[in-house]
């Protein structure tokens, strides 16, 4: 599944948020990771940024969604490309989005063998 | 022959009138709107007009056929595929909750979740299946079962990734900076 230009072509049922959100990187290191991703996938990252600024809590089934599980409740994943991910935490109260990871799809650690 | 339908609850939710409509469609699939193959041969246009609104059963000797619009048939097939997929995942979830799942198995990633979370996964899958079955004639996009499975699998990857955990944990350790607007880079001279 490769996200493409059609990712943000689906109309959202919510009105476009004209005020916008403040989008931050958790650190200058994360911002650097993001800039590297922009150079690798310019078109998709432009769309990602637009999404974060306007509709960070709009879900696009299978592409932009909140992570499941209690540990990362409130965290959202944006699939920039088939191999790259952005993870972020939107805060509706302050209208701030905090991006804390931007880069290659993280690899899961192996689970311990079943005893 | 008519299909017996029942109003049921699932997870405390009562079925809506739209769900009753879907049951009616299944009733009609085996309903008494019968025509013979001879009638079809003689009055094909009128039979097709009837099939626009509801499936028509065509009989020929001991055989019977269902005539229904192609989008309806397509939706039914997709719902069938979704049902199989949900059954497959739920079987894996049950295996997990009874501690019989091994990490190297195809659904070993489910082990990233505890039983409460797995039950929430089941609930979400069943909800999607219910929602997709409401209106077989609908051309609207419904929640895709495969997308739900994909999202849970991605969530498992995040849960199991040390790199992700490190990034999440350190998100508050350094001062935040404005995320660079890609257009500032893309449009660089």
């Amino acid at each position: 599944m490769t996200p493409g230009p059609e990712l943000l072509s689906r109309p959202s049922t919510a009105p476009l948020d004209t005020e916008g959100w403040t989008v931050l990187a958790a650190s200058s290191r994360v911002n650097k990771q993001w800039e590297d991703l922009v150079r690798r996938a310019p078109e998709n990252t432009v769309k990602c940024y637009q999404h974060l600024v306007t509709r960070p809590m709009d879900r696009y089934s299978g592409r932009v969604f909140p992570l499941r599980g209690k540990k990362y409740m409130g965290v959202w994943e944006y699939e920039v490309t088939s191999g790259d991910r952005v993870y972020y935490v939107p805060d509706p109260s302050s209208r701030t989005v905090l991006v804390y990871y931007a880069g290659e799809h993280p690899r899961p650690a192996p689970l311990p063998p079943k005893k | 022959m008519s299909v017996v339908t029942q109003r049921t609850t699932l997870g405390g939710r009562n079925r809506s009138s739209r769900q009753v409509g879907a049951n009616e469609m299944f009733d009609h699939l085996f309903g008494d709107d019968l025509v013979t193959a001879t009638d079809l041969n003689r009055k094909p246009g009128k039979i097709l007009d009837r099939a626009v609104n509801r499936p028509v059963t065509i009989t020929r000797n001991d055989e019977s056929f269902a005539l229904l619009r192609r989008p309806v048939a397509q939706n039914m097939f997709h719902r069938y595929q979704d049902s199989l997929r949900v059954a497959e995942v739920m079987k894996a979830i049950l295996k997990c909750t009874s501690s019989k799942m091994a990490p190297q198995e195809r659904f070993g990633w489910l082990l990233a979740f505890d039983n409460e979370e797995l039950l929430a996964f089941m609930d979400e899958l069943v909800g999607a299946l219910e929602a997709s079955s409401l209106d077989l004639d609908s051309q609207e996009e419904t929640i895709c079962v495969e997308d739900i499975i994909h999202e849970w699998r991605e969530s498992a990857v995040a849960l199991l990734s040390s790199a992700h955990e490190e990034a999440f944990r350190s998100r508050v350790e350094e001062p935040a900076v404005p995320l660079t607007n890609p257009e500032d880079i893309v449009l660089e001279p």
Side-chain angles (χ1 to χ4, degrees), chain A residues 25 35 62 68 70 77 79, chain B residues 114 124 150-151 154 177 180:
Chain A
E35 290 178 348
R68 308 305 200 279
K70 294 184 280 290
E77 173 177 318
E79 296 191 6
Chain B
D114 62 29
E124 192 172 343
H150 172 74
E151 291 176 11
E154 285 285 309
V177 300
T180 303

Side-chain angles (χ1 to χ4, degrees), chain A residues 4-5 9 12 28 34-36 47 52-53 58-59 61 80 82 86-87 97 104 110 113:
Chain A
S9 64
S12 171
S28 54
W34 165 255
E35 290 178 348
D36 291 342
K47 288 186 168 66
L52 295 178
V53 169
D58 269 23
R59 185 180 165 189
S61 190
V80 177
S82 59
V86 165
Y87 295 100
V97 175
E104 288 185 0

Side-chain angles (χ1 to χ4, degrees), chain B residues 15-94:
Chain B
R15 289 193 156 193
S16 67
S17 58
R18 290 184 65 206
Q19 290 164 304
V20 173
N23 291 334
E24 289 174 353
M25 178 64 77
F26 282 110
D27 285 341
H28 294 156
L29 200 60
F30 302 97
D32 56 2
D33 190 357
L34 299 174
V35 300
T36 64
T38 305
D39 289 336
L40 180 65
N41 196 34
R42 288 176 179 165
K43 298 174 281 185
K46 286 190 177 176
I47 304 300
L48 286 173
D49 287 342
R50 285 157 68 176
V52 166
N53 297 317
R54 50 184 273 174
V56 173
T57 301
I58 303 165
T59 60
R60 182 180 69 179
N61 299 327
D62 294 333
E63 297 172 307
S64 61
F65 305 87
L67 177 65
L68 63 166
R69 290 190 299 108
R70 181 56 190 254
V72 174
Q74 197 164 333
N75 278 344
M76 288 176 67
F77 179 70
H78 287 156
R79 303 304 170 253
Y80 165 70
Q81 285 185 311
D82 285 347
S83 299
L84 290 180
R85 192 76 168 112
V86 168
E88 183 187 21
V89 176
M90 287 179 68
K91 188 177 170 184
I93 290 173
L94 289 172

